[in-house]
Amino acid sequence: MTAPLTPPPPPRDQSPHDPWQPPGDPNTPGAPGNPGAGYPMHAPQDASYGQDGPGMKTELIEAVVVTVASAVGGVLLGVLWWWLAPHVPLVGDVVDKSWVVYLKDSEGEQAVGVDGTFTLLAVAFGVVSALVVFLLRRRGGVPLVAALTLGGLVASFLAWRLGMWFGPTKDVLAHAKAVGKGITFSAPLKLGAKGALLAWPVAALVVHLGLTALFGPRDPEPVYLQQGPVPKDGYGAPTA
């Protein structure tokens, strides 16, 4: 006769570390079969600020601060645009006892330079705002990215309106009459390509996402990958 291949049943008198011991109450520390007796127990994480970053309330406050700061930066953008943008020369004349205004240089590219100046300044402000936000808050987050985009759009709109307000008057006929016939004066500051208003938010969004992907904090590896596989006995049960 041959011996059976089935292993014999475990004895009733077992030690606390016997792999055949049935699991105990998981809520009782140190009880036989309790995972807390042989494995480290994880401490509860703080719900307000843990490994995943600050809570939603803190992220919303940070988003509001970023939006307001971007809007304030829009004031500086408007002033710089008004100061650095090229002037479009106009000339007034009287035709049939009526005042008319026309471009002094019909082939000039000053109008294109006005749009280009705004676009370049807006891109620079977007890059700087994204860099500052990343350095202050490396982990990022959806509210922060949304605040950068919305704040950049608000800042661009504010800079556009502020630059036109600082610039020459919109009433070109009254301006021509004031300076006199044949005298060159500057046209009102206006933005021909309205797509330039998206330069700040797009630049801020792309730069911030790129910085977060390259230099942002990485998620920690799972515990089982750091500690290796759990040792088991010949029957496949974990050992103490």
Side-chain angles (χ1 to χ4, degrees):
M1 296 180 64
T2 58
L5 299 178
T6 304
R12 296 183 178 276
D13 187 11
Q14 298 173 339
S15 63
H17 300 292
D18 196 317
W20 287 96
Q21 186 173 355
D25 185 5
N27 297 323
T28 305
N34 184 5
Y39 300 94
M41 300 182 66
H42 298 283
Q45 296 182 355
D46 186 5
S48 60
Y49 202 104
Q51 291 183 348
D52 295 336
M56 182 57 65
K57 182 179 179 180
T58 304
E59 290 186 354
L60 291 178
I61 294 176
E62 292 175 347
V64 172
V65 172
V66 170
T67 303
V68 174
S70 299
V72 174
V75 176
L76 180 59
L77 173 60
V79 174
L80 288 177
W81 180 47
W82 162 70
W83 182 37
L84 299 176
H87 298 280
V88 179
L90 299 178
V91 173
D93 197 1
V94 179
V95 179
D96 297 334
K97 298 181 180 182
S98 299
W99 277 89
V100 293
V101 177
Y102 54 91
L103 289 171
K104 183 178 181 180
D105 185 7
S106 58
E107 297 181 357
E109 298 181 353
Q110 292 87 351
V112 179
V114 172
D115 294 346
T117 302
F118 185 93
T119 303
L120 292 177
L121 288 174
V123 170
F125 273 78
V127 171
V128 171
S129 62
L131 181 61
V132 171
V133 169
F134 175 76
L135 293 178
L136 296 179
R137 179 76 166 81
R138 287 181 175 271
R139 187 170 292 273
V142 175
L144 207 60
V145 174
L148 270 175
T149 306
L150 179 61
L153 188 59
V154 172
S156 297
F157 182 82
L158 183 62
W160 169 44
R161 305 303 297 181
L162 193 63
M164 291 194 304
W165 183 70
F166 281 150
T169 177
K170 294 182 180 180
D171 192 349
V172 292
L173 288 177
H175 198 176
K177 294 177 182 179
V179 298
K181 178 182 176 180
I183 304 300
T184 303
F185 62 96
S186 298
L189 192 63
K190 65 178 181 178
L191 193 63
K194 298 302 187 293
L197 296 174
L198 300 177
W200 182 328
V202 171
L205 178 63
V206 172
V207 172
H208 186 269
L209 291 179
L211 291 174
T212 304
L214 293 176
F215 307 107
R218 299 293 186 266
D219 295 333
E221 296 182 357
V223 178
Y224 67 88
L225 292 180
Q226 297 176 355
Q227 296 181 351
V230 178
K232 300 180 180 180
D233 60 5
Y235 299 108
T239 59

